[in-house]
Amino acid sequence: MATQSEKKEIVIIGGGIIGCTSAYFLTRHPAYDPAKHNITLLEAAKIAGGASGKAGGLLALWAYPSNIVPLSYRLHAELAKEHGGEGRWGYRRVHCGQLSAKGRGSQRDTSLNGKAAKGESVSLNKRDGKALGKVAAAGLPKDLNWFATECVQGYYEMGDPDTTAQVHPYYFTTSMADLAKEKGVNVILGSVSSIDTANGEGVRSVTYEDKTTKESHTIPATDVIVSAGPWTQRVYPPAPISGMRAHSVTITPSKPISAYAVFTEISLPPDFGHKDTFLKSKRPHSKTVTPEIYARPNNEAYACGEGDHLVPLPKTTEDVETDLRRCQDIIDYVSSVSDELRDGEVTVRQACYLPNVEGRSAGPLIGKTGVKGLLLAAGHTCWGIQNGPGTGKLMSEFVFDGEARSASVGSLDPRRVL
């Protein structure tokens, strides 16, 4: 536990959601004294440049792991109330469900400017009594009216506004960084090259290369939080963290859509798909695909597909390779079941890497490493945004109290696998 006279040089490695929430909660801890506690956040490329800026932003009490989810979900609501999160980072409560549907043949012509060709596909928006009866029989809520009636086969609710919410991940993460800076955190863009642990006795310093000047600097450290997402192993080699690439798109629907997060299971017709520009033939598709679609405020829809390991983890978030064909697959899949998405405008095609814990251990890893002053917070998979605040608060307790107090996280102890 930190004493009133103890000086600390705290270094956070990684400017994603975990690093930024750690910085935020360190500055809100009762023991924090900016005159005695210096906090530096090191980010190699850009705050929220990876998955923390490109994820879906779904929050859920039914997420995992169960020992930190309730804490983090509650903190999301508290942060939104305190800092105006509804307007600042799009916090809102939503419905969530699983939709099974039969996809239609590809009817959308999307060039790289993102706009559907006018006149090619025009929705008649017909939902007569027979159609509405079919939707009701499938269990589809009346206000979830942005899926084509003829496609819907079944729906069941996974969560409601009491158990499910959302944020825009980029705005949430950057807001956490900004709020931490207001309380004295120093944010530096630079790539960490080494952590001096005095041969395992305890952290002494961190060396990094400044992104702009390319000069090497070494700063003292009493406490180091390694929270570099899929890049964690590059910074701290013993950490069993790997990365999986994931693609996503955002679409401005042709008309506003209701506040639902939808996990889909879409059966595709045999002749589904666009002709591949490079292969001169239709790209192969699975018979069943499972894109996720999240309606966001301000008439935006976020959609993501399955992950892949085709391209190794690059040097930084700025070097991530986006496969436009995989993005087009997502667009085609969601267009096959929704006129509003089919006739909308694609605004973003992107990719990122999600951090996973290797081996049989369930992630994330949160806590001490066995080296004095060296803490690990990584491997949050697709629930990093959901579990960011809880993890950040726990890291502040590890630093200032010497132990986790807000949740029991023994099962997530990094020392189990290091």
Side-chain angles (χ1 to χ4, degrees):
M1 181 173 179
T3 63
Q4 293 297 318
S5 60
E6 184 179 0
K7 292 187 177 181
K8 282 184 173 291
E9 295 287 343
I10 306 165
V11 179
I12 303 168
I13 302 174
I17 185 60
I18 306 303
C20 291
T21 52
S22 294
Y24 173 90
F25 281 102
L26 282 165
T27 63
R28 270 65 180 180
H29 192 282
Y32 173 64
D33 181 351
K36 299 174 182 177
H37 305 137
N38 186 44
I39 303 174
T40 301
L41 190 157
L42 290 168
E43 161 55 38
K46 174 185 176 182
I47 297 295
S52 297
K54 299 174 181 177
L58 185 64
L59 317 176
L61 273 174
W62 40 268
Y64 61 85
S66 59
N67 49 351
I68 61 171
V69 163
L71 167 66
S72 205
Y73 190 81
R74 172 175 59 81
L75 289 174
H76 266 291
E78 293 176 0
L79 289 168
K81 183 177 180 180
E82 180 178 355
H83 299 294
E86 182 176 341
R88 190 166 182 173
W89 55 75
Y91 176 87
R92 68 174 179 178
R93 301 298 184 100
V94 298
H95 289 272
C96 181
Q98 173 76 41
L99 175 82
S100 57
K102 185 176 181 180
R104 302 167 294 189
S106 189
Q107 302 173 41
R108 178 190 179 102
D109 179 15
T110 50
S111 58
L112 291 184
N113 66 7
K115 295 184 178 181
K118 291 184 178 180
E120 296 274 336
S121 301
V122 181
S123 173
L124 298 179
N125 296 317
K126 290 185 176 179
R127 291 172 70 89
D128 57 20
K130 183 177 180 181
L132 291 173
K134 180 177 183 294
V135 167
L140 198 70
K142 290 183 179 180
D143 61 337
L144 183 52
N145 56 5
W146 40 279
F147 287 96
T149 302
E150 69 271 23
C151 297
V152 177
Q153 295 183 316
Y155 178 89
Y156 74 88
E157 188 173 67
M158 297 170 60
D160 59 30
D162 290 330
T163 63
T164 315
Q166 69 178 166
V167 297
H168 190 295
Y170 178 79
Y171 296 128
F172 179 62
T173 303
T174 54
S175 292
M176 289 294 99
D178 290 341
L179 290 166
K181 286 192 289 185
E182 290 175 6
K183 294 291 186 178
V185 172
N186 182 27
V187 176
I188 297 175
L189 296 184
S191 298
V192 171
S193 55
S194 66
I195 303 171
D196 181 3
T197 62
N199 294 320
E201 295 182 6
V203 295
R204 300 287 179 82
S205 64
V206 175
T207 300
Y208 69 93
E209 181 185 274
D210 187 276
K211 180 184 177 183
T212 302
T213 66
K214 305 303 180 184
E215 295 178 350
S216 180
H217 301 275
T218 298
I219 55 177
T222 58
D223 302 86
V224 175
I225 299 173
V226 182
S227 54
W231 283 270
T232 293
Q233 196 173 68
R234 300 263 179 98
V235 176
Y236 182 54
I241 306 295
S242 60
M244 178 181 69
R245 189 174 64 161
H247 286 81
S248 59
V249 300
T250 61
I251 301 171
T252 301
S254 58
K255 65 179 183 180
I257 58 178
S258 51
Y260 279 81
V262 182
F263 291 74
T264 71
E265 185 175 80
I266 303 171
S267 301
L268 300 177
D271 62 344
F272 182 86
H274 278 92
K275 191 172 183 179
D276 193 294
T277 304
F278 304 99
L279 299 178
K280 306 301 181 183
S281 61
K282 286 191 175 181
R283 280 170 56 74
H285 298 274
S286 300
K287 292 182 179 179
T288 302
V289 293
T290 56
E292 299 171 19
I293 311 169
Y294 306 155
R296 286 175 169 173
N298 303 319
N299 197 32
E300 180 178 86
Y302 170 95
C304 61
E306 297 178 352
D308 71 81
H309 296 279
L310 299 175
V311 180
L313 186 72
K315 184 177 180 181
T316 72
T317 58
E318 293 180 329
D319 303 310
V320 172
E321 177 183 328
T322 299
D323 186 336
L324 296 180
R325 296 174 298 182
R326 286 184 170 270
C327 291
Q328 187 62 49
D329 287 343
I330 298 170
I331 296 165
D332 290 344
Y333 298 157
V334 302
S335 296
S336 76
V337 295
S338 170
D339 295 344
E340 287 77 6
L341 300 181
R342 181 195 65 192
D343 299 336
E345 179 179 352
V346 180
T347 52
V348 174
R349 294 171 169 87
Q350 61 190 5
C352 62
Y353 283 79
L354 300 174
N356 298 302
V357 178
E358 299 172 343
R360 291 178 292 178
S361 175
L365 300 178
I366 301 173
K368 300 178 181 180
T369 63
V371 176
K372 183 181 179 181
L374 184 62
L375 301 168
L376 183 62
H380 289 70
T381 64
C382 59
W383 291 113
I385 299 298
Q386 149 63 37
N387 292 324
T391 301
K393 185 170 181 61
L394 291 167
M395 297 316 289
S396 73
E397 294 170 352
F398 277 114
V399 170
F400 284 118
D401 303 319
E403 62 182 1
R405 294 188 170 182
S406 295
S408 177
V409 292
S411 63
L412 309 178
D413 193 328
R415 291 170 294 187
R416 295 184 305 109
V417 295
L418 293 175

